[in-house]
Amino acid sequence: MSENLSACMMRMVETDYALSDYQSDIAPRWCVGCGDTAILTAMQKLCRDEQLAPEKTVCVSGIGCSSRLPHYMNAYGFHGIHGRALPVAEGVKIRRPDLDVFVTTGDGDCTSIGAAHWIHAIRYNMNMTVLLHDNQIYGLTKKQASPTSPIGQKSNTTPFGSVLLPLNPLTVTLGVANVSFVAQAVDWIPDLLYDILKKAFHHRGLSFVRILQRCPEFMQHRFDDYVRDPSKMRILTHGNGLRLSPEVSRVYKNQETHDPLDMGRALAIAAIADEIPVGILYNDPSVPCYDDLRAGERPSTPALVETVLREEFDKVTIWPDDAEPVAAE
Amino acid sequence: MIKQTEGSQAVAEAVALCRPEVICAYPISPQTHIVEGLGALVKAGDLAPCEFLNVESEFAAMSVAIGSSAAGARTYTATASQGLLFMVEAVYNASGLGLPIVMTVANRAIGAPINIWNDHSDSMSQRDCGWIQLFAESNQEALDLHIQAFKLAEEMSMPVMVCMDGFILTHAYEQVDMPDQAQVDAFLPPYEPRQVLDPAEPVSIGAMVGPEAFMEVRYLAHAKQTMALDRIPEIAAEFKEAFGRDAGGLVRGYRIEDAETIVVALGSVVGTLEETIDTMRAEGVKIGVLSIRCFRPFPMAAVRAALARTARVVVLEKSFAVGLGGIVSTDVRLAMVRIHVRGYTVVAGLGGRPITQDSLLRVLRLAVADELKNLTFLDLDWDIVNRHLAREAATRRSGPIAENLLRDIGSGARPTTAGKAQP
């Protein structure tokens, strides 16, 4: 009770965060035209619109170009070990469930060296927002094929083209037990990137957002066809998903009404190869969060401890026959 | 053939000349150019038959290497820093199984704090893992050591780590003498495994061994490393005969015959030390350098013999045992037991801090005058250190050290040698 009160008081005193309140004094060290910049901007706008207190917000990353993001957010940051962003974020969240935790991880960090943690983080379904910055190449080590690189992709480790089918982060995530929220965004439609991040943030559970992003240095023309031709983008809309503004709707006419509870269709959409689906593929708010399951397992808040203790004491309380129970003062 | 090339490229070409059959790696700076060079050679068909596998992590890289080596393939990988640490469980497994894998470690600091620059922390963290560890002084020696490494690994049936300084060697363009295929083929015979997964002679590899024989298996690893102490100089001599170059071996002295002070070091800093020593020799100081080229097995007798007649030893090392001091120095002091030599440890170049001749001259002059402290950190900026210690004394929640220090010296700036630095 007193906690809520002080939180309310804090909120009354400290409202009106501006965009600049989420910008750190370090200038981003990303190449000109890097998709990471659009994602950073969308995150900062989200924080402002949700009026998230910077001191109650945490950005956790691993290693890679995208993992530099925590340095550029004025919030708590943790630039960790390659592939370990998700477990570090789990550690933060389990100790401080009151903090809003964002994870920024790249296709190398998440789908390659950190793949084991990725699968289990989905299964734990802790309440956090995970942004997979997927430029389909290792950028920080300067152009080596990643697990999501398209077949035939030439790189410094695949000089004659990658021979393996790329891993599809959407179908993989949708296939894991306890998955509760999967979406896809692209860096070149900032309005939808923002809307999707907002949906992801408001979902209780692990929201996984794969963001296809351009790498102007090593994947120069990878998404040119999609950027130039809006009909190649399939926008997923629904009452429980994205609702498009007239401006976006006018440009992106290739739309599909998709119920985010429809797992069968979500899997089919995730596997689409010739178009890029953008929107909420799957969202089931009824999937239990690890946070809630743990709460049921062992009381951890003072209020819960008190409730359980009272129940236990009531079992052994003997009321005198001739007296009515008297409510405690 | 004499050519001007990058250290990484030279190593890639030398490894290719050794005809590896499986190469597996995950990119990490400053190792990337080596495996990229090999990837290009494999994909172009210039290195055949050879499989190049882009694995999903260093842990996978070493695990794949274990599998392919057990299946009878000459196997190579390369890594650095965090990558080496991530594969550690498999690194011990490879040596425990006695699989002759050759791995380049492009030496780089270990985080946190994140740092991509050179020191020897990564290799030194694995000094007890059962691999042979060779250190290269130059790009030419890095190239030559790889050719020797395959021969040594396969003869002894144990894995070999070739350590070369990240960026200082891997990214430096230097003139190297690249042997031709016929020369390497004559020196390095085809791989004849001691143990192999072969349907004609079925075996299992990876037995569980209890208290009844575990110590014996471990002792045999030590016994074999001891045997390698004899074989390593022999292979270096054979190499010199075949290629006409001095490379490898256990230790190499420079102007140590009459030296009253000997500086012991590993890797590329030996070159800087030699020039520094020349300056001091010109001033009449009797000083020399001992380069340890083979750190595991540790050449106890060779180091002892080299130091036997000197008055003082300065171990200059790019590694650091937190809570103790030097790592190399501890081993060197073991070699100095019962010989009366004054010993100093200078920890230098951590995380890429430049090791300049000026700084070396300053500490070595102090050492020669026996005014040096037993443990010295070259060019440590005491202002930065003391400022933080004061902060910790004043505030319980003083915050993360690295971030505080960056803020103290100006946000985002990379620490460099400070003007006010004193040994």
Side-chain angles (χ1 to χ4, degrees):
Chain A
M1 194 68 171
S2 63
E3 264 182 18
N4 291 344
L5 192 64
S6 64
C8 279
M9 296 278 285
M10 287 287 282
R11 209 168 159 74
M12 283 168 69
V13 178
E14 289 187 51
T15 49
D16 256 4
Y17 292 112
L19 209 52
S20 56
D21 289 319
Y22 303 99
Q23 293 165 346
S24 79
D25 49 8
I26 301 171
R29 202 186 290 174
W30 285 321
C31 307
V32 175
C34 176
D36 284 330
T37 316
I39 300 169
L40 175 65
T41 307
M43 270 187 73
Q44 288 167 333
K45 277 173 70 179
L46 176 78
C47 290
R48 179 202 56 194
D49 294 350
E50 298 294 333
Q51 288 292 297
L52 303 184
E55 72 275 12
K56 300 278 264 184
T57 307
V58 190
C59 294
V60 182
S61 69
I63 295 289
C65 293
S66 57
S67 290
R68 305 182 67 91
L69 189 139
H71 295 291
Y72 312 139
M73 279 289 288
N74 183 35
Y76 281 112
F78 197 110
H79 190 180
I81 312 169
H82 199 17
R84 316 302 141 203
L86 285 162
V88 170
E90 286 157 12
V92 171
K93 190 70 189 176
I94 204 106
R95 172 69 176 141
R96 292 294 303 271
D98 56 316
L99 303 181
D100 289 313
V101 176
F102 293 87
V103 176
T104 56
T105 177
D107 42 314
D109 200 57
C110 177
T111 74
S112 191
I113 199 165
H117 303 310
W118 168 32
I119 305 296
H120 292 283
I122 301 298
R123 182 170 156 261
Y124 298 149
N125 196 35
M126 289 191 188
N127 189 18
M128 58 176 73
T129 309
V130 179
L131 312 182
L132 170 62
H133 299 229
D134 189 356
N135 58 7
Q136 308 186 336
I137 198 81
Y138 296 156
L140 197 67
T141 47
K142 317 237 181 316
K143 199 176 186 180
Q144 296 86 18
S146 98
T148 60
S149 293
I151 203 158
Q153 175 64 47
K154 290 185 177 174
S155 77
N156 286 326
T157 42
T158 54
F160 295 92
S162 164
V163 293
L164 283 174
L165 269 178
L167 186 147
N168 182 335
L170 297 175
T171 53
V172 171
T173 309
L174 286 167
V176 178
N178 267 355
V179 61
S180 68
F181 185 104
V182 178
Q184 177 155 275
V186 293
D187 79 56
W188 59 93
I189 315 180
D191 286 16
L192 294 184
L193 172 60
Y194 172 83
D195 291 348
I196 291 165
L197 286 194
K198 189 162 181 143
K199 283 276 177 196
F201 173 72
H202 283 288
H203 169 73
R204 186 168 154 73
L206 188 143
S207 22
F208 181 83
V209 185
R210 183 216 198 177
I211 306 165
L212 287 168
Q213 63 167 111
R214 291 167 292 179
C215 173
E217 203 59 39
F218 303 125
M219 299 287 273
Q220 286 92 345
H221 304 295
R222 171 69 183 102
F223 296 117
D224 283 3
D225 291 348
Y226 300 92
V227 176
R228 290 194 193 116
D229 182 0
S231 74
K232 290 175 92 79
M233 309 297 298
R234 181 183 299 219
I235 316 297
L236 310 175
T237 63
H238 192 267
N240 294 329
L242 292 186
R243 293 173 210 216
L244 303 187
S245 69
E247 292 80 13
V248 171
S249 219
R250 231 185 343 262
V251 179
Y252 296 96
K253 297 198 176 72
N254 177 7
Q255 297 173 12
E256 176 181 335
T257 308
H258 166 64
D259 181 355
L261 277 169
D262 183 349
M263 174 59 94
R265 184 60 198 152
L267 278 163
I269 292 170
I272 291 173
D274 51 342
E275 297 177 349
I276 295 180
V278 169
I280 317 295
L281 280 86
Y282 189 68
N283 181 4
D284 181 357
S286 72
V287 177
C289 267
Y290 186 87
D291 326 34
D292 301 336
L293 295 171
R294 286 282 296 160
E297 196 177 288
R298 198 177 62 198
S300 56
T301 66
L304 270 167
V305 171
E306 195 182 335
T307 308
V308 172
L309 274 176
R310 279 187 187 284
E311 282 170 3
E312 289 301 312
F313 287 144
D314 283 351
K315 285 181 195 165
V316 294
T317 302
I318 300 160
W319 303 109
D321 289 341
D322 53 347
E324 287 295 307
V326 183
E329 286 290 311
Chain B
M1 188 181 66
I2 302 286
K3 61 198 291 188
Q4 185 81 12
T5 192
E6 195 200 32
S8 296
Q9 188 58 36
V11 167
E13 287 178 38
V15 168
L17 288 171
C18 296
R19 301 185 186 275
E21 292 150 298
V22 174
I23 299 169
C24 39
Y26 187 77
I28 179 165
S29 301
Q31 150 266 37
T32 36
H33 292 182
I34 301 173
V35 288
E36 286 175 359
L38 282 162
L41 288 166
V42 172
K43 304 291 162 56
D46 295 337
L47 172 52
C50 181
E51 285 295 327
F52 184 96
L53 199 58
N54 278 323
V55 286
E56 73 278 11
S57 72
E58 288 87 0
F59 198 9
M62 185 49 67
S63 303
V64 167
I66 288 168
S68 67
S69 183
R74 182 171 286 165
T75 302
Y76 172 82
T77 185
T79 191
S81 183
Q82 315 293 134
L84 180 62
L85 264 62
F86 189 37
M87 63 163 70
V88 165
E89 189 182 6
V91 167
Y92 272 76
N93 199 252
S95 57
L97 294 171
L99 296 170
I101 299 159
V102 171
M103 169 162 68
T104 311
V105 176
N107 290 121
R108 168 185 149 178
I110 294 171
I114 302 169
N115 179 301
I116 64 165
W117 307 105
N118 166 248
D119 68 33
H120 291 166
S121 308
D122 48 4
S123 290
M124 286 302 161
S125 78
Q126 295 310 300
R127 67 190 182 277
D128 304 330
C129 73
W131 285 53
I132 288 172
Q133 288 189 330
L134 309 176
F135 279 78
E137 290 173 27
S138 64
N139 286 351
Q140 180 68 60
E141 195 177 28
L143 181 169
D144 295 342
L145 282 180
H146 281 85
I147 300 169
Q148 297 186 25
F150 280 103
K151 191 181 178 81
L152 178 65
E154 290 168 11
E155 279 188 18
M156 307 305 299
S157 202
M158 53 197 329
V160 177
M161 207 180 280
V162 180
C163 310
M164 64 189 291
D165 286 314
F167 294 111
I168 296 170
L169 294 184
T170 56
H171 286 55
Y173 277 74
E174 277 186 356
Q175 204 175 60
V176 294
D177 190 350
M178 185 66 65
D180 60 35
Q181 188 66 62
Q183 281 177 294
V184 176
D185 285 347
F187 179 77
L188 178 65
Y191 175 34
E192 182 57 56
R194 235 179 224 288
Q195 50 176 345
V196 66
L197 298 173
D198 178 5
E201 198 185 326
V203 290
S204 285
I205 293 178
M208 184 159 170
V209 176
E212 69 283 4
F214 188 84
M215 280 198 46
E216 286 70 19
V217 174
R218 298 305 294 153
Y219 176 77
L220 282 166
H222 176 68
K224 285 179 75 172
Q225 282 229 351
T226 312
M227 287 184 237
L229 279 174
D230 294 331
R231 198 59 196 119
I232 289 164
E234 289 167 12
I235 288 177
E238 290 164 26
F239 184 88
K240 189 170 185 178
E241 203 179 314
F243 298 87
R245 280 193 301 278
D246 173 42
L250 299 174
V251 297
R252 184 179 67 86
Y254 177 77
R255 305 185 84 165
I256 60 170
E257 294 71 25
D258 62 339
E260 289 163 3
T261 306
I262 294 179
V263 187
V264 180
L266 293 80
S268 64
V269 76
V270 170
T272 318
L273 278 167
E274 285 178 357
E275 292 197 16
T276 312
I277 260 73
D278 287 344
T279 306
M280 294 179 77
R281 280 274 177 180
E283 295 164 0
V285 182
K286 288 184 176 174
I287 186 165
V289 186
L290 184 74
S291 168
I292 297 182
R293 287 171 156 185
C294 168
F295 188 65
R296 282 294 181 273
F298 187 73
M300 199 70 75
V303 172
R304 189 177 170 85
L307 303 181
R309 286 182 300 278
T310 194
R312 65 184 72 76
V313 171
V314 181
V315 179
L316 182 97
E317 55 179 300
K318 292 182 178 181
S319 51
F320 174 37
V322 180
L324 172 67
I327 296 173
V328 180
S329 348
T330 306
D331 291 9
V332 169
R333 293 206 183 181
L334 210 55
M336 285 155 47
V337 168
R338 284 195 291 277
I339 52 178
H340 295 283
V341 181
R342 255 164 266 144
Y344 302 97
T345 300
V346 179
V347 174
L350 298 186
R353 175 74 54 98
I355 302 177
T356 64
Q357 284 199 47
D358 284 349
S359 299
L360 287 175
L361 280 171
R362 199 175 57 243
V363 289
L364 293 179
R365 280 175 184 144
L366 286 173
V368 166
D370 283 322
E371 287 168 8
L372 195 64
K373 287 182 194 154
N374 287 336
L375 176 62
T376 305
F377 293 82
L378 190 73
D379 291 334
L380 188 76
D381 190 326
W382 284 104
D383 286 351
I384 295 179
V385 171
N386 290 331
R387 198 159 156 186
H388 184 77
L389 289 175
R391 176 166 39 228
E392 287 205 351
T395 321
R396 172 65 203 159
R397 191 166 289 190
S398 49
I401 294 174
E403 283 70 11
N404 281 333
L405 264 54
L406 286 178
R407 210 168 290 132
D408 288 347
I409 63 171
S411 176
R414 195 161 61 81
T416 52
T417 313
K420 270 183 275 179
Q422 291 297 324

